[in-house]
Coordinates of all heavy atoms in Angstrom, one line a residue:
M1 N 71.0 140.1 137.2 CA 72.3 139.7 137.0 C 73.3 140.7 137.6 O 72.9 141.9 137.8 CB 72.6 139.8 135.5 CG 72.3 138.6 134.6 SD 72.8 137.0 134.9 CE 74.2 136.9 133.8
Y2 N 74.4 140.2 138.0 CA 75.4 141.0 138.6 C 76.4 141.4 137.7 O 76.7 140.8 136.6 CB 76.0 140.3 139.8 CG 75.0 140.0 140.9 CD1 74.4 138.8 141.0 CD2 74.7 141.0 141.8 CE1 73.5 138.5 142.0 CE2 73.8 140.8 142.8 CZ 73.2 139.5 142.9 OH 72.3 139.3 143.9
N3 N 77.2 142.4 138.0 CA 78.3 142.9 137.2 C 79.5 142.0 137.4 O 79.7 141.4 138.4 CB 78.6 144.3 137.8 CG 79.6 145.1 136.9 OD1 80.5 144.4 136.4 ND2 79.4 146.4 136.9
D4 N 80.2 141.9 136.3 CA 81.5 141.1 136.3 C 82.5 141.6 137.2 O 83.3 140.9 137.8 CB 82.1 141.0 134.9 CG 81.5 139.9 134.1 OD1 80.9 139.0 134.7 OD2 81.7 139.9 132.8
D5 N 82.5 142.9 137.4 CA 83.6 143.5 138.3 C 83.4 143.1 139.7 O 84.4 143.0 140.4 CB 83.5 145.1 138.2 CG 83.9 145.6 136.7 OD1 84.6 144.8 136.0 OD2 83.4 146.7 136.4
E6 N 82.2 142.9 140.1 CA 81.9 142.6 141.5 C 82.0 141.1 141.8 O 81.9 140.6 142.9 CB 80.6 143.1 142.0 CG 80.4 144.6 141.9 CD 79.0 145.0 142.1 OE1 78.1 144.2 142.4 OE2 78.7 146.2 142.0
G7 N 82.1 140.3 140.7 CA 82.2 138.8 140.8 C 80.8 138.2 141.1 O 80.6 137.1 141.4
G8 N 79.7 139.0 140.8 CA 78.4 138.6 141.0 C 77.9 137.6 140.0 O 77.0 136.7 140.3
V9 N 78.4 137.6 138.8 CA 77.9 136.7 137.8 C 78.3 135.3 138.1 O 77.5 134.4 138.0 CB 78.5 137.1 136.4 CG1 78.2 136.0 135.4 CG2 78.0 138.5 136.0
M10 N 79.4 135.1 138.7 CA 79.9 133.8 139.1 C 79.1 133.3 140.2 O 78.7 132.1 140.3 CB 81.4 133.8 139.4 CG 82.0 132.5 139.4 SD 81.9 131.8 137.8 CE 82.8 130.4 138.0
E11 N 78.8 134.1 141.2 CA 77.9 133.7 142.3 C 76.5 133.3 141.9 O 76.0 132.4 142.4 CB 77.9 134.8 143.4 CG 79.2 135.1 144.1 CD 79.1 136.3 145.0 OE1 78.0 136.8 145.2 OE2 80.2 136.7 145.5
E12 N 76.0 134.1 140.9 CA 74.6 133.8 140.4 C 74.6 132.5 139.7 O 73.7 131.7 139.9 CB 74.2 134.9 139.5 CG 72.8 134.7 138.9 CD 71.7 135.0 139.9 OE1 72.0 135.6 140.9 OE2 70.6 134.5 139.6
A13 N 75.7 132.2 138.9 CA 75.8 130.9 138.2 C 75.9 129.8 139.2 O 75.3 128.7 139.0 CB 77.0 130.9 137.3
E14 N 76.7 130.0 140.3 CA 76.8 128.9 141.3 C 75.5 128.7 142.0 O 75.1 127.5 142.3 CB 77.9 129.3 142.3 CG 79.3 129.2 141.8 CD 80.3 129.8 142.7 OE1 79.9 130.2 143.8 OE2 81.5 129.7 142.4
R15 N 74.7 129.7 142.3 CA 73.4 129.6 142.9 C 72.4 128.8 142.0 O 71.7 127.9 142.4 CB 72.8 130.9 143.3 CG 73.3 131.5 144.6 CD 72.5 132.6 145.1 NE 72.5 133.8 144.1 CZ 73.3 134.8 144.2 NH1 74.2 134.8 145.2 NH2 73.3 135.8 143.3
N16 N 72.4 129.2 140.7 CA 71.6 128.5 139.7 C 72.0 127.0 139.6 O 71.1 126.1 139.5 CB 71.7 129.1 138.3 CG 71.0 130.4 138.3 OD1 70.1 130.7 139.1 ND2 71.3 131.3 137.3
L17 N 73.3 126.7 139.6 CA 73.8 125.3 139.5 C 73.4 124.5 140.7 O 72.9 123.4 140.6 CB 75.3 125.3 139.3 CG 75.9 123.9 139.2 CD1 75.4 123.2 137.9 CD2 77.4 124.0 139.1
A18 N 73.5 125.2 141.9 CA 73.1 124.5 143.1 C 71.6 124.2 143.1 O 71.1 123.1 143.6 CB 73.5 125.3 144.3
A19 N 70.8 125.1 142.6 CA 69.3 124.9 142.6 C 69.0 123.8 141.6 O 68.1 123.0 141.9 CB 68.6 126.2 142.2
L20 N 69.6 123.8 140.5 CA 69.3 122.7 139.5 C 69.7 121.3 140.0 O 69.0 120.4 139.7 CB 70.1 123.0 138.2 CG 69.5 124.2 137.4 CD1 70.4 124.5 136.2 CD2 68.1 123.9 136.9
T21 N 70.9 121.3 140.7 CA 71.3 119.9 141.1 C 70.5 119.5 142.3 O 70.3 118.3 142.6 CB 72.8 120.0 141.5 OG1 73.1 121.0 142.5 CG2 73.7 120.2 140.3
A22 N 69.9 120.4 143.1 CA 69.1 120.1 144.3 C 67.7 119.6 143.9 O 67.1 118.8 144.5 CB 69.0 121.2 145.2
A23 N 67.2 120.1 142.7 CA 65.8 119.8 142.3 C 65.9 118.4 141.7 O 66.8 118.0 140.9 CB 65.4 120.8 141.3
P24 N 64.9 117.5 142.0 CA 64.9 116.2 141.4 C 64.5 116.2 139.9 O 63.8 117.1 139.5 CB 63.8 115.5 142.2 CG 62.9 116.6 142.7 CD 63.8 117.8 142.9
D25 N 65.0 115.3 139.2 CA 64.8 115.2 137.8 C 63.3 114.9 137.6 O 62.7 114.1 138.3 CB 65.7 114.0 137.2 CG 65.6 114.0 135.7 OD1 65.3 115.0 135.1 OD2 65.7 112.8 135.2
A26 N 62.7 115.4 136.5 CA 61.3 115.2 136.2 C 61.0 113.7 136.0 O 60.0 113.2 136.4 CB 60.9 116.0 135.0
L27 N 61.9 113.0 135.3 CA 61.7 111.6 135.1 C 61.7 110.8 136.4 O 60.9 109.9 136.6 CB 62.7 111.1 134.2 CG 62.7 111.6 132.7 CD1 63.8 111.0 131.9 CD2 61.3 111.2 132.1
E28 N 62.5 111.2 137.3 CA 62.6 110.5 138.6 C 61.3 110.8 139.4 O 60.7 109.9 140.0 CB 63.8 111.1 139.5 CG 65.1 110.6 138.9 CD 66.2 111.3 139.7 OE1 66.0 112.0 140.7 OE2 67.4 111.1 139.3
V29 N 60.7 112.0 139.3 CA 59.5 112.3 140.0 C 58.4 111.5 139.4 O 57.5 110.9 140.1 CB 59.2 113.8 139.9 CG1 57.8 114.1 140.4 CG2 60.2 114.6 140.6
L30 N 58.3 111.4 138.0 CA 57.3 110.6 137.4 C 57.4 109.1 137.8 O 56.4 108.4 138.0 CB 57.3 110.8 135.9 CG 56.7 112.1 135.3 CD1 57.0 112.2 133.9 CD2 55.2 112.1 135.6
A31 N 58.6 108.6 137.8 CA 58.8 107.2 138.1 C 58.4 106.9 139.6 O 57.8 105.9 139.8 CB 60.3 106.8 138.0
E32 N 58.6 107.9 140.4 CA 58.2 107.7 141.8 C 56.7 107.7 142.0 O 56.1 107.0 142.7 CB 58.8 108.8 142.7 CG 58.6 108.7 144.2 CD 59.3 107.5 144.8 OE1 60.4 107.1 144.3 OE2 58.8 106.9 145.8
M33 N 56.0 108.6 141.2 CA 54.6 108.7 141.2 C 53.9 107.4 140.6 O 52.8 107.0 141.0 CB 54.1 109.9 140.5 CG 54.4 111.2 141.2 SD 54.1 112.7 140.2 CE 52.3 112.5 139.8
N34 N 54.6 106.8 139.6 CA 54.0 105.7 139.0 C 54.3 104.3 139.6 O 53.9 103.3 139.1 CB 54.4 105.6 137.5 CG 53.7 106.8 136.7 OD1 52.6 107.2 137.1 ND2 54.4 107.2 135.7
K35 N 55.0 104.3 140.7 CA 55.4 103.1 141.3 C 54.1 102.5 141.9 O 53.2 103.1 142.5 CB 56.3 103.3 142.5 CG 57.7 103.4 142.1 CD 58.6 103.5 143.3 CE 60.1 103.6 143.0 NZ 60.9 103.8 144.1
K36 N 53.9 101.2 141.6 CA 52.8 100.5 142.1 C 53.0 100.0 143.5 O 54.1 99.6 143.9 CB 52.5 99.3 141.2 CG 52.1 99.7 139.8 CD 51.7 98.5 139.0 CE 51.3 98.9 137.6 NZ 50.9 97.8 136.8
K37 N 52.0 100.2 144.3 CA 52.1 99.7 145.7 C 51.8 98.2 145.8 O 50.9 97.7 145.2 CB 51.0 100.5 146.6 CG 51.3 102.0 146.6 CD 50.3 102.7 147.5 CE 50.6 104.2 147.4 NZ 49.6 104.9 148.1
E38 N 52.6 97.5 146.5 CA 52.4 96.1 146.6 C 51.3 95.8 147.7 O 51.3 96.3 148.8 CB 53.8 95.5 147.1 CG 54.9 95.5 146.1 CD 54.6 94.7 144.9 OE1 54.0 93.6 145.0 OE2 54.9 95.2 143.8
L39 N 50.4 95.0 147.2 CA 49.3 94.5 148.1 C 49.7 93.2 148.8 O 50.3 92.4 148.1 CB 48.0 94.4 147.4 CG 47.5 95.7 146.7 CD1 46.2 95.4 145.9 CD2 47.2 96.7 147.7
R40 N 49.3 93.0 150.0 CA 49.6 91.8 150.6 C 48.7 90.7 150.1 O 47.5 91.0 149.8 CB 49.6 91.9 152.1 CG 48.4 92.4 152.7 CD 48.5 92.7 154.2 NE 47.4 93.5 154.6 CZ 46.5 93.1 155.5 NH1 46.6 91.9 156.0 NH2 45.5 93.8 155.8
A41 N 49.1 89.5 150.1 CA 48.3 88.4 149.6 C 47.2 88.1 150.6 O 47.3 88.2 151.8 CB 49.2 87.1 149.4
V42 N 46.0 87.7 150.1 CA 44.8 87.4 150.9 C 44.6 85.9 150.8 O 44.5 85.3 149.7 CB 43.6 88.2 150.4 CG1 42.4 87.8 151.2 CG2 43.9 89.7 150.5
D43 N 44.4 85.2 151.9 CA 44.1 83.8 152.0 C 42.5 83.7 151.9 O 41.9 83.9 153.0 CB 44.6 83.2 153.2 CG 44.3 81.7 153.3 OD1 43.9 81.1 152.2 OD2 44.4 81.1 154.4
H44 N 42.0 83.5 150.8 CA 40.5 83.5 150.6 C 39.9 82.3 151.3 O 38.7 82.3 151.6 CB 40.1 83.6 149.2 CG 40.5 84.8 148.5 ND1 39.8 86.0 148.7 CD2 41.5 85.1 147.6 CE1 40.4 87.0 148.0 NE2 41.5 86.5 147.3
G45 N 40.6 81.3 151.6 CA 40.1 80.2 152.3 C 39.8 80.5 153.8 O 38.9 79.9 154.4
S46 N 40.4 81.5 154.3 CA 40.2 81.8 155.7 C 39.2 82.9 155.9 O 38.7 83.2 157.0 CB 41.5 82.2 156.4 OG 42.0 83.4 155.8
V47 N 38.7 83.5 154.8 CA 37.7 84.6 154.9 C 36.3 84.0 154.7 O 36.1 83.2 153.8 CB 38.0 85.6 153.7 CG1 37.0 86.8 153.8 CG2 39.4 86.2 153.9
D48 N 35.4 84.5 155.6 CA 34.0 84.0 155.5 C 33.2 84.9 154.7 O 32.8 86.0 155.2 CB 33.5 83.9 156.9 CG 32.1 83.2 157.0 OD1 31.8 82.4 156.1 OD2 31.4 83.5 157.9
Y49 N 33.0 84.6 153.4 CA 32.2 85.5 152.5 C 30.7 85.1 152.6 O 30.4 84.0 152.9 CB 32.7 85.3 151.1 CG 34.1 85.8 150.8 CD1 35.1 84.9 150.5 CD2 34.4 87.1 150.8 CE1 36.4 85.4 150.3 CE2 35.6 87.6 150.6 CZ 36.6 86.7 150.3 OH 37.9 87.2 150.1
L50 N 29.9 86.1 152.3 CA 28.5 85.9 152.2 C 28.2 85.1 150.9 O 28.9 85.3 149.9 CB 27.7 87.2 152.1 CG 27.8 88.1 153.4 CD1 27.2 89.4 153.1 CD2 27.2 87.4 154.6
P51 N 27.2 84.3 150.9 CA 26.8 83.6 149.6 C 26.4 84.5 148.5 O 25.7 85.5 148.8 CB 25.7 82.6 150.0 CG 25.2 83.1 151.3 CD 26.3 83.9 151.9
V52 N 26.7 84.2 147.3 CA 26.4 85.1 146.1 C 25.5 84.3 145.2 O 25.8 83.2 144.8 CB 27.6 85.5 145.4 CG1 27.3 86.4 144.2 CG2 28.5 86.3 146.3
R53 N 24.4 85.0 144.8 CA 23.5 84.3 143.8 C 24.1 84.6 142.4 O 24.2 85.8 142.0 CB 22.1 85.0 143.9 CG 21.1 84.2 143.1 CD 19.7 84.8 143.2 NE 19.5 85.7 142.0 CZ 18.7 86.7 141.9 NH1 18.0 87.0 142.9 NH2 18.6 87.4 140.8
K54 N 24.5 83.6 141.7 CA 25.2 83.8 140.5 C 24.3 83.9 139.3 O 24.8 84.5 138.3 CB 26.2 82.6 140.3 CG 27.3 82.6 141.3 CD 28.3 81.5 141.1 CE 29.3 81.4 142.1 NZ 30.3 80.4 141.9
N55 N 23.1 83.4 139.3 CA 22.2 83.5 138.2 C 21.4 84.8 138.3 O 20.3 84.8 138.9 CB 21.3 82.3 138.1 CG 20.5 82.3 136.8 OD1 20.8 83.1 135.9 ND2 19.6 81.4 136.7
L56 N 21.9 85.9 137.9 CA 21.3 87.2 138.1 C 20.2 87.5 137.0 O 19.4 88.3 137.2 CB 22.4 88.3 138.1 CG 23.4 88.2 139.1 CD1 24.5 89.3 139.0 CD2 22.9 88.2 140.5
Y57 N 20.3 86.9 135.9 CA 19.4 87.2 134.8 C 18.1 86.3 134.9 O 18.2 85.1 135.0 CB 20.0 87.0 133.4 CG 19.1 87.2 132.3 CD1 18.7 88.5 131.9 CD2 18.7 86.1 131.5 CE1 17.9 88.7 130.9 CE2 17.8 86.4 130.4 CZ 17.4 87.6 130.1 OH 16.6 87.9 129.0
I58 N 17.0 86.9 135.0 CA 15.7 86.2 135.0 C 15.0 86.5 133.7 O 14.8 87.6 133.3 CB 14.8 86.7 136.2 CG1 15.5 86.4 137.5 CG2 13.5 86.0 136.2 CD1 14.9 87.1 138.7
V59 N 14.7 85.4 133.0 CA 14.1 85.5 131.6 C 12.7 86.0 131.8 O 11.8 85.4 132.5 CB 14.1 84.2 130.9 CG1 13.5 84.3 129.5 CG2 15.5 83.6 130.8
P60 N 12.3 87.1 131.1 CA 10.9 87.6 131.2 C 10.0 86.6 130.5 O 10.4 85.9 129.6 CB 11.0 88.9 130.4 CG 12.4 89.3 130.4 CD 13.2 88.0 130.4
R61 N 8.7 86.7 130.9 CA 7.7 85.7 130.3 C 7.6 85.9 128.8 O 7.4 84.9 128.1 CB 6.4 86.0 130.9 CG 6.3 85.5 132.3 CD 4.9 85.7 132.9 NE 5.0 85.6 134.4 CZ 4.2 86.2 135.2 NH1 3.3 87.1 134.8 NH2 4.4 86.0 136.5
S62 N 7.7 87.1 128.3 CA 7.5 87.3 126.8 C 8.6 86.6 126.0 O 8.4 86.1 124.9 CB 7.5 88.8 126.5 OG 8.7 89.4 126.9
L63 N 9.8 86.6 126.6 CA 10.9 85.9 125.9 C 10.8 84.4 126.2 O 11.2 83.6 125.3 CB 12.3 86.4 126.4 CG 12.6 87.8 125.9 CD1 14.0 88.2 126.5 CD2 12.6 87.9 124.4
A64 N 10.4 84.0 127.3 CA 10.3 82.5 127.6 C 9.3 81.8 126.8 O 9.4 80.6 126.5 CB 9.9 82.3 129.1
K65 N 8.2 82.6 126.3 CA 7.2 82.0 125.5 C 7.6 81.9 124.0 O 6.9 81.2 123.3 CB 5.9 82.9 125.6 CG 5.2 82.8 126.9 CD 3.8 83.4 126.8 CE 4.0 84.9 127.0 NZ 2.7 85.6 127.1
L66 N 8.7 82.5 123.6 CA 9.1 82.4 122.2 C 9.5 81.0 121.8 O 10.2 80.3 122.6 CB 10.3 83.3 121.9 CG 10.0 84.8 122.0 CD1 11.3 85.6 121.8 CD2 8.9 85.3 121.0
T67 N 9.1 80.6 120.6 CA 9.6 79.2 120.1 C 11.0 79.4 119.6 O 11.4 80.5 119.3 CB 8.6 78.8 119.0 OG1 8.7 79.7 117.9 CG2 7.2 78.7 119.5
P68 N 11.7 78.3 119.4 CA 13.0 78.4 118.9 C 13.1 79.0 117.5 O 14.0 79.7 117.1 CB 13.5 76.9 118.8 CG 12.7 76.2 119.9 CD 11.4 76.9 119.9
A69 N 12.0 78.8 116.7 CA 11.9 79.4 115.4 C 11.8 80.9 115.5 O 12.4 81.7 114.7 CB 10.7 78.8 114.6
E70 N 11.0 81.4 116.4 CA 10.8 82.8 116.6 C 12.2 83.5 117.1 O 12.5 84.6 116.7 CB 9.7 83.1 117.6 CG 8.3 82.8 117.1 CD 7.3 82.9 118.2 OE1 7.6 82.6 119.3 OE2 6.2 83.3 117.8
V71 N 12.9 82.8 118.0 CA 14.2 83.3 118.4 C 15.2 83.3 117.3 O 15.9 84.3 117.1 CB 14.7 82.3 119.6 CG1 16.2 82.7 119.9 CG2 13.8 82.4 120.8
A72 N 15.2 82.3 116.4 CA 16.1 82.3 115.3 C 15.7 83.4 114.3 O 16.6 84.1 113.7 CB 16.0 81.0 114.5
E73 N 14.4 83.7 114.1 CA 13.9 84.8 113.3 C 14.4 86.1 113.8 O 14.8 87.0 113.1 CB 12.4 84.7 113.2 CG 11.8 85.8 112.3 CD 10.3 85.7 112.3 OE1 9.7 84.6 112.4 OE2 9.7 86.8 112.1
R74 N 14.3 86.3 115.1 CA 14.7 87.6 115.8 C 16.2 87.8 115.6 O 16.6 88.9 115.3 CB 14.4 87.6 117.3 CG 13.1 88.1 117.6 CD 13.0 88.3 119.1 NE 11.7 88.8 119.5 CZ 11.4 89.3 120.7 NH1 12.4 89.4 121.6 NH2 10.2 89.7 121.0
R75 N 17.0 86.7 115.8 CA 18.4 86.8 115.6 C 18.8 87.2 114.2 O 19.7 88.0 114.0 CB 19.1 85.5 116.0 CG 19.1 85.3 117.5 CD 19.8 84.1 118.0 NE 19.8 84.0 119.4 CZ 19.7 82.9 120.1 NH1 19.7 81.7 119.4 NH2 19.7 82.9 121.4
L76 N 18.1 86.6 113.2 CA 18.4 86.9 111.8 C 18.0 88.3 111.5 O 18.8 89.0 110.8 CB 17.6 85.9 110.9 CG 17.8 86.0 109.4 CD1 19.3 85.6 109.1 CD2 16.9 85.1 108.7
K77 N 16.9 88.8 112.0 CA 16.4 90.1 111.7 C 17.3 91.2 112.3 O 17.6 92.2 111.7 CB 15.0 90.3 112.3 CG 14.4 91.7 112.2 CD 13.0 91.7 112.9 CE 12.6 93.2 113.0 NZ 11.4 93.3 113.8
L78 N 17.9 90.9 113.5 CA 18.7 91.8 114.2 C 20.2 91.7 113.9 O 21.0 92.5 114.3 CB 18.6 91.7 115.7 CG 17.2 92.1 116.3 CD1 17.0 91.8 117.7 CD2 16.9 93.6 116.0
G79 N 20.5 90.6 113.2 CA 21.9 90.4 112.8 C 22.8 89.9 113.9 O 24.0 90.1 114.0
V80 N 22.1 89.1 114.8 CA 22.8 88.6 116.0 C 23.4 87.2 115.7 O 22.6 86.3 115.3 CB 21.9 88.6 117.2 CG1 22.5 87.9 118.4 CG2 21.4 89.9 117.6
K81 N 24.7 87.0 116.0 CA 25.3 85.7 115.8 C 25.6 85.1 117.2 O 26.2 85.9 118.0 CB 26.5 85.8 114.9 CG 26.2 86.2 113.5 CD 27.4 86.3 112.7 CE 27.1 86.8 111.3 NZ 28.3 86.8 110.4
V82 N 25.3 83.9 117.4 CA 25.5 83.3 118.7 C 26.3 82.0 118.6 O 26.1 81.2 117.7 CB 24.1 82.9 119.4 CG1 24.3 82.3 120.7 CG2 23.3 84.2 119.5
R83 N 27.3 81.8 119.5 CA 28.0 80.6 119.6 C 27.8 80.0 121.0 O 27.6 80.7 122.0 CB 29.5 80.8 119.5 CG 29.9 81.0 118.0 CD 31.4 80.9 117.9 NE 31.9 82.2 117.8 CZ 33.2 82.6 117.9 NH1 34.1 81.7 118.3 NH2 33.5 83.8 117.7
G84 N 27.8 78.7 121.1 CA 27.6 78.1 122.4 C 26.2 77.7 122.7 O 25.3 77.9 121.9
K85 N 26.0 77.2 123.9 CA 24.7 76.7 124.3 C 24.1 77.7 125.3 O 24.8 78.3 126.1 CB 24.7 75.3 124.9 CG 25.2 74.3 123.9 CD 25.3 72.9 124.5 CE 25.9 71.9 123.6 NZ 26.0 70.6 124.2
G86 N 22.7 77.7 125.4 CA 22.0 78.5 126.4 C 22.1 80.0 126.3 O 21.9 80.7 127.2
A87 N 22.3 80.5 125.1 CA 22.3 81.9 124.9 C 20.8 82.4 125.0 O 19.9 81.8 124.4 CB 22.9 82.3 123.5
P88 N 20.6 83.5 125.7 CA 19.2 84.0 125.8 C 18.7 84.6 124.4 O 19.6 85.0 123.6 CB 19.3 85.1 126.8 CG 20.7 85.5 126.8 CD 21.5 84.3 126.4
A89 N 17.5 84.7 124.3 CA 16.9 85.3 123.1 C 17.2 86.8 123.1 O 17.2 87.4 124.1 CB 15.4 85.0 123.1
P90 N 17.4 87.4 121.9 CA 17.6 88.8 121.8 C 16.3 89.6 122.2 O 15.2 89.2 121.9 CB 18.0 89.0 120.4 CG 17.5 87.9 119.6 CD 17.4 86.7 120.6
V91 N 16.5 90.7 122.9 CA 15.4 91.5 123.3 C 15.2 92.6 122.3 O 16.1 93.0 121.6 CB 15.7 92.2 124.7 CG1 15.8 91.1 125.7 CG2 16.9 93.1 124.6
S92 N 13.9 93.0 122.1 CA 13.5 94.0 121.2 C 12.9 95.2 121.9 O 12.7 96.3 121.3 CB 12.5 93.5 120.1 OG 11.4 93.0 120.8
K93 N 12.6 95.1 123.2 CA 12.1 96.2 124.0 C 12.8 96.2 125.3 O 13.3 95.2 125.8 CB 10.6 96.0 124.2 CG 9.7 96.0 123.0 CD 8.3 95.8 123.4 CE 8.0 94.3 123.3 NZ 6.6 94.0 123.6
F94 N 12.9 97.4 126.0 CA 13.5 97.5 127.3 C 12.8 96.6 128.3 O 13.4 96.1 129.2 CB 13.5 98.9 127.8 CG 14.7 99.7 127.2 CD1 14.5 100.7 126.3 CD2 16.0 99.5 127.7 CE1 15.5 101.4 125.7 CE2 17.0 100.2 127.1 CZ 16.8 101.2 126.2
S95 N 11.5 96.4 128.1 CA 10.7 95.6 129.1 C 11.2 94.2 129.1 O 11.0 93.4 130.0 CB 9.2 95.8 128.8 OG 8.9 95.3 127.5
E96 N 11.8 93.7 128.0 CA 12.2 92.3 127.8 C 13.6 92.1 128.4 O 14.1 91.0 128.4 CB 12.2 91.9 126.4 CG 10.8 91.9 125.8 CD 10.8 91.5 124.3 OE1 11.9 91.7 123.6 OE2 9.8 91.1 123.8
A97 N 14.3 93.2 128.8 CA 15.6 93.0 129.3 C 15.8 92.5 130.7 O 16.8 92.2 131.2 CB 16.3 94.4 129.3
G98 N 14.6 92.3 131.4 CA 14.7 91.7 132.7 C 15.0 92.7 133.8 O 15.4 92.4 134.9
L99 N 15.0 94.0 133.5 CA 15.3 95.1 134.5 C 14.0 95.4 135.3 O 12.9 95.3 134.9 CB 15.7 96.3 133.8 CG 17.0 96.2 132.9 CD1 17.2 97.5 132.1 CD2 18.2 95.8 133.7
S100 N 14.3 95.9 136.5 CA 13.1 96.2 137.4 C 12.4 97.5 136.9 O 13.0 98.2 136.1 CB 13.6 96.4 138.8 OG 14.4 97.6 138.9
E101 N 11.2 97.7 137.3 CA 10.5 98.9 136.9 C 11.2 100.2 137.3 O 11.1 101.2 136.7 CB 9.1 98.8 137.5 CG 8.2 97.7 136.9 CD 7.9 98.0 135.4 OE1 7.7 99.2 135.1 OE2 7.9 97.0 134.7
R102 N 11.8 100.1 138.5 CA 12.5 101.3 139.0 C 13.6 101.8 138.0 O 13.9 102.9 137.8 CB 13.2 101.0 140.3 CG 12.4 101.4 141.5 CD 13.1 101.3 142.8 NE 14.5 101.2 142.8 CZ 15.2 100.5 143.7 NH1 14.6 99.9 144.7 NH2 16.5 100.5 143.6
I103 N 14.3 100.8 137.4 CA 15.4 101.1 136.5 C 14.9 101.6 135.2 O 15.4 102.5 134.6 CB 16.4 99.9 136.4 CG1 17.0 99.6 137.7 CG2 17.4 100.1 135.3 CD1 17.8 98.3 137.7
V104 N 13.9 100.9 134.7 CA 13.3 101.2 133.4 C 12.6 102.5 133.5 O 12.7 103.4 132.8 CB 12.3 100.1 132.9 CG1 11.7 100.5 131.6 CG2 13.1 98.8 132.7

């Protein structure tokens, strides 16, 4: 701080005021950082995509052999509730999950 006699206090206050007004507001900085960048629209009709196999789950033999009564018994035992059609039987071992040997 400067002495009042030299007029330094006023100069220091002016420098502080200039520094504060020159610095951006914290809210403005956050708003600028959070702005979402606009992506251009993609015409998917003009893009040549590779075919995708949509049925990725392969039912293991041990589950395929279960009767509907056995599937219902497993669901009851595990507390599994199912709505809709074609729900797979619940698995009780990792080997029944249809994962490859490398993953298991």
Side-chain angles (χ1 to χ4, degrees):
M1 276 306 260
Y2 292 101
N3 187 326
D4 272 346
D5 295 337
E6 299 171 5
V9 172
M10 198 60 175
E11 290 174 9
E12 181 71 19
E14 288 174 359
R15 278 196 296 268
N16 288 341
L17 182 61
L20 288 174
T21 55
D25 185 31
L27 292 176
E28 292 174 6
V29 172
L30 283 173
E32 187 67 30
M33 289 173 57
N34 289 332
K35 278 187 182 177
K36 294 184 180 180
K37 296 179 182 173
E38 292 295 323
L39 298 176
R40 56 188 166 115
V42 177
D43 180 16
H44 295 285
S46 64
V47 179
D48 187 26
Y49 292 112
L50 296 173
V52 176
R53 190 180 100 203
K54 293 181 182 181
N55 188 7
L56 302 176
Y57 178 70
I58 299 170
V59 181
R61 289 183 193 146
S62 60
L63 289 180
K65 290 191 276 183
L66 292 176
T67 64
E70 291 171 327
V71 171
E73 181 184 329
R74 270 193 182 192
R75 287 185 179 143
L76 184 64
K77 177 183 168 188
L78 297 172
V80 176
K81 295 180 182 181
V82 178
R83 278 193 259 166
K85 298 179 183 179
V91 297
S92 59
K93 299 182 264 180
F94 277 108
S95 61
E96 295 176 338
L99 302 173
S100 69
E101 290 295 322
R102 265 187 17 209
I103 295 173
V104 176

